[in-house]
Amino acid sequence: MFTGRKLLIATKHAKESVIQPLFEKEFNVTCHTNTTFDTDILGTFSGEIERRFSIMETLRKKCLLAAQEEKFDLIVASEGSFGTHPTLFFAAADDEFMLFLDLKNNIEISSREISLETNFSGEEVNTSNQLLAFAEKALFPSHALILKSSEKNPEIIYKGIVQKEDLLNKFQELKSKFSSVFIETDMRAHLNPTRMQVIQKATEKLVAKIKKACPSCNFPGFDVEEIIKGLPCDNCGLPTKSTLALKYSCKNCDFKQEQKFPNNKKFEEPTFCDYCNP
């Protein structure tokens, strides 16, 4: 279905470095990156352009707009979000989404990778010592930094700073004009190796999903539709909140299949039982 076709990777931040090798190897496609479409029009991490849509809506718009402008019918893109982890509320997380569209065959397949591996941070600094302490914590200079005249609606913003001398000079320049300076991590993928590694993991997940074909019609993207809880406790036998089965569904023929014990265990430890360990 994909062999010999051209695949557009919608990015302006070098994400093709991790996406292209996997897709070309697994699907025998020829990858290209967009030359005219600016993905930043849908939002920037540094705040100059606000992301107005949900992350999946943004991803879909990125794919469709880039495909239309670049004249492709096979396209892949990623979109990240940074903030508090959805379950570990005191930890920062990188939440990466991937979307693959085959407009010719009406296929849409997505993946998601949530990782605690991120340097995402920002704070107000008033001295060069504070500045350099933040820089060290943020893995500078292998990871770029951003300086702003203020956290919200800054008059001046310097992005992609990767040299200590440049960081200090721009800080002094801003400090001479404003009462304080806001420093934050530059989360653009080509300037943040940690984020690029998470994008690679999300890409690996996406490739695996695409390769999983429906047992009935062989359509790609045979994916989990429902997670069924209720793995029995090894002590009392009552159902726990752990996964008992996964229900797969085909988007093409609506064939469904249930896989029991996906984590290769038939009972859960009493530690995770609400009855044995309330």
PDB file of all heavy atoms in Angstrom, residues 24 28 55 58 76 96 119 159 169 176 206 212 223 232:
ATOM      1  N   GLU A  24      11.404   4.906   5.996  1.00  0.00           N
ATOM      2  CA  GLU A  24      12.000   4.408   4.760  1.00  0.00           C
ATOM      3  C   GLU A  24      12.369   2.929   4.890  1.00  0.00           C
ATOM      4  O   GLU A  24      12.211   2.149   3.944  1.00  0.00           O
ATOM      5  CB  GLU A  24      13.213   5.246   4.380  1.00  0.00           C
ATOM      6  CG  GLU A  24      12.832   6.646   3.898  1.00  0.00           C
ATOM      7  CD  GLU A  24      13.967   7.432   3.287  1.00  0.00           C
ATOM      8  OE1 GLU A  24      15.149   7.086   3.553  1.00  0.00           O
ATOM      9  OE2 GLU A  24      13.684   8.394   2.551  1.00  0.00           O
ATOM     10  N   ASN A  28       9.417   1.294   2.788  1.00  0.00           N
ATOM     11  CA  ASN A  28       9.986   1.495   1.452  1.00  0.00           C
ATOM     12  C   ASN A  28       9.397   2.719   0.750  1.00  0.00           C
ATOM     13  O   ASN A  28       9.036   2.685  -0.426  1.00  0.00           O
ATOM     14  CB  ASN A  28       9.789   0.240   0.587  1.00  0.00           C
ATOM     15  CG  ASN A  28      10.681   0.242  -0.646  1.00  0.00           C
ATOM     16  OD1 ASN A  28      11.716   0.910  -0.671  1.00  0.00           O
ATOM     17  ND2 ASN A  28      10.272  -0.484  -1.668  1.00  0.00           N
ATOM     18  N   ILE A  55      -4.387  19.459  20.583  1.00  0.00           N
ATOM     19  CA  ILE A  55      -3.168  18.944  19.988  1.00  0.00           C
ATOM     20  C   ILE A  55      -3.462  18.055  18.769  1.00  0.00           C
ATOM     21  O   ILE A  55      -2.752  18.120  17.757  1.00  0.00           O
ATOM     22  CB  ILE A  55      -2.331  18.193  21.047  1.00  0.00           C
ATOM     23  CG1 ILE A  55      -0.885  18.023  20.561  1.00  0.00           C
ATOM     24  CG2 ILE A  55      -2.947  16.867  21.438  1.00  0.00           C
ATOM     25  CD1 ILE A  55       0.089  17.693  21.663  1.00  0.00           C
ATOM     26  N   THR A  58      -4.614  20.318  15.908  1.00  0.00           N
ATOM     27  CA  THR A  58      -3.442  20.995  15.362  1.00  0.00           C
ATOM     28  C   THR A  58      -2.652  20.065  14.458  1.00  0.00           C
ATOM     29  O   THR A  58      -2.212  20.456  13.366  1.00  0.00           O
ATOM     30  CB  THR A  58      -2.541  21.505  16.504  1.00  0.00           C
ATOM     31  OG1 THR A  58      -3.287  22.414  17.331  1.00  0.00           O
ATOM     32  CG2 THR A  58      -1.319  22.222  15.962  1.00  0.00           C
ATOM     33  N   VAL A  76       3.201  12.585   7.413  1.00  0.00           N
ATOM     34  CA  VAL A  76       3.325  12.298   8.839  1.00  0.00           C
ATOM     35  C   VAL A  76       3.815  13.562   9.545  1.00  0.00           C
ATOM     36  O   VAL A  76       4.562  14.355   8.964  1.00  0.00           O
ATOM     37  CB  VAL A  76       4.293  11.116   9.096  1.00  0.00           C
ATOM     38  CG1 VAL A  76       5.718  11.457   8.686  1.00  0.00           C
ATOM     39  CG2 VAL A  76       4.256  10.673  10.556  1.00  0.00           C
ATOM     40  N   GLU A  96       4.147  13.682  23.527  1.00  0.00           N
ATOM     41  CA  GLU A  96       4.333  13.745  22.080  1.00  0.00           C
ATOM     42  C   GLU A  96       3.265  12.937  21.350  1.00  0.00           C
ATOM     43  O   GLU A  96       3.002  11.783  21.687  1.00  0.00           O
ATOM     44  CB  GLU A  96       5.715  13.226  21.690  1.00  0.00           C
ATOM     45  CG  GLU A  96       6.869  14.063  22.198  1.00  0.00           C
ATOM     46  CD  GLU A  96       7.008  15.412  21.505  1.00  0.00           C
ATOM     47  OE1 GLU A  96       6.413  15.603  20.412  1.00  0.00           O
ATOM     48  OE2 GLU A  96       7.713  16.277  22.064  1.00  0.00           O
ATOM     49  N   ASN A 119      13.662  18.465  29.929  1.00  0.00           N
ATOM     50  CA  ASN A 119      14.288  19.557  30.685  1.00  0.00           C
ATOM     51  C   ASN A 119      13.362  20.768  30.744  1.00  0.00           C
ATOM     52  O   ASN A 119      13.787  21.860  31.140  1.00  0.00           O
ATOM     53  CB  ASN A 119      15.628  19.950  30.050  1.00  0.00           C
ATOM     54  CG  ASN A 119      15.458  20.636  28.700  1.00  0.00           C
ATOM     55  OD1 ASN A 119      14.484  20.381  27.977  1.00  0.00           O
ATOM     56  ND2 ASN A 119      16.389  21.504  28.346  1.00  0.00           N
ATOM     57  N   LYS A 159      15.677  33.543  20.895  1.00  0.00           N
ATOM     58  CA  LYS A 159      15.499  32.100  20.873  1.00  0.00           C
ATOM     59  C   LYS A 159      16.777  31.408  20.385  1.00  0.00           C
ATOM     60  O   LYS A 159      17.629  32.019  19.759  1.00  0.00           O
ATOM     61  CB  LYS A 159      14.330  31.738  19.954  1.00  0.00           C
ATOM     62  CG  LYS A 159      13.009  32.337  20.401  1.00  0.00           C
ATOM     63  CD  LYS A 159      11.958  32.356  19.310  1.00  0.00           C
ATOM     64  CE  LYS A 159      11.498  30.986  18.917  1.00  0.00           C
ATOM     65  NZ  LYS A 159      10.330  31.026  17.990  1.00  0.00           N
ATOM     66  N   ASN A 169      25.513  37.958  27.297  1.00  0.00           N
ATOM     67  CA  ASN A 169      25.376  39.261  26.629  1.00  0.00           C
ATOM     68  C   ASN A 169      23.911  39.637  26.452  1.00  0.00           C
ATOM     69  O   ASN A 169      23.519  40.789  26.714  1.00  0.00           O
ATOM     70  CB  ASN A 169      26.076  39.247  25.269  1.00  0.00           C
ATOM     71  CG  ASN A 169      27.585  39.253  25.398  1.00  0.00           C
ATOM     72  OD1 ASN A 169      28.129  39.612  26.441  1.00  0.00           O
ATOM     73  ND2 ASN A 169      28.285  38.853  24.349  1.00  0.00           N
ATOM     74  N   SER A 176      19.330  45.562  31.311  1.00  0.00           N
ATOM     75  CA  SER A 176      19.531  47.019  31.281  1.00  0.00           C
ATOM     76  C   SER A 176      18.263  47.772  30.885  1.00  0.00           C
ATOM     77  O   SER A 176      18.131  48.963  31.159  1.00  0.00           O
ATOM     78  CB  SER A 176      20.666  47.372  30.319  1.00  0.00           C
ATOM     79  OG  SER A 176      20.295  47.088  28.983  1.00  0.00           O
ATOM     80  N   LEU A 206       4.267   4.566  16.377  1.00  0.00           N
ATOM     81  CA  LEU A 206       3.427   4.797  15.202  1.00  0.00           C
ATOM     82  C   LEU A 206       3.707   3.749  14.130  1.00  0.00           C
ATOM     83  O   LEU A 206       2.773   3.193  13.536  1.00  0.00           O
ATOM     84  CB  LEU A 206       3.673   6.198  14.659  1.00  0.00           C
ATOM     85  CG  LEU A 206       2.854   6.606  13.434  1.00  0.00           C
ATOM     86  CD1 LEU A 206       1.365   6.604  13.757  1.00  0.00           C
ATOM     87  CD2 LEU A 206       3.276   7.983  12.923  1.00  0.00           C
ATOM     88  N   LYS A 212       0.614  -3.183  12.133  1.00  0.00           N
ATOM     89  CA  LYS A 212      -0.332  -4.173  12.668  1.00  0.00           C
ATOM     90  C   LYS A 212      -1.583  -4.190  11.782  1.00  0.00           C
ATOM     91  O   LYS A 212      -2.412  -3.281  11.834  1.00  0.00           O
ATOM     92  CB  LYS A 212      -0.698  -3.849  14.112  1.00  0.00           C
ATOM     93  CG  LYS A 212      -1.479  -4.971  14.794  1.00  0.00           C
ATOM     94  CD  LYS A 212      -1.614  -4.720  16.276  1.00  0.00           C
ATOM     95  CE  LYS A 212      -2.403  -5.824  16.968  1.00  0.00           C
ATOM     96  NZ  LYS A 212      -1.772  -7.150  16.864  1.00  0.00           N
ATOM     97  N   ASP A 223      -5.946  -1.397  15.715  1.00  0.00           N
ATOM     98  CA  ASP A 223      -5.525  -0.739  16.948  1.00  0.00           C
ATOM     99  C   ASP A 223      -6.479  -1.022  18.107  1.00  0.00           C
ATOM    100  O   ASP A 223      -7.609  -1.472  17.914  1.00  0.00           O
ATOM    101  CB  ASP A 223      -5.437   0.774  16.705  1.00  0.00           C
ATOM    102  CG  ASP A 223      -4.599   1.491  17.745  1.00  0.00           C
ATOM    103  OD1 ASP A 223      -3.935   0.818  18.556  1.00  0.00           O
ATOM    104  OD2 ASP A 223      -4.607   2.735  17.746  1.00  0.00           O
ATOM    105  N   PRO A 232      -7.882 -10.421  37.834  1.00  0.00           N
ATOM    106  CA  PRO A 232      -8.193 -10.877  39.204  1.00  0.00           C
ATOM    107  C   PRO A 232      -6.980 -10.844  40.134  1.00  0.00           C
ATOM    108  O   PRO A 232      -5.848 -11.065  39.720  1.00  0.00           O
ATOM    109  CB  PRO A 232      -8.687 -12.314  38.988  1.00  0.00           C
ATOM    110  CG  PRO A 232      -8.097 -12.731  37.690  1.00  0.00           C
ATOM    111  CD  PRO A 232      -8.004 -11.501  36.846  1.00  0.00           C
TER     112      PRO A 232
END
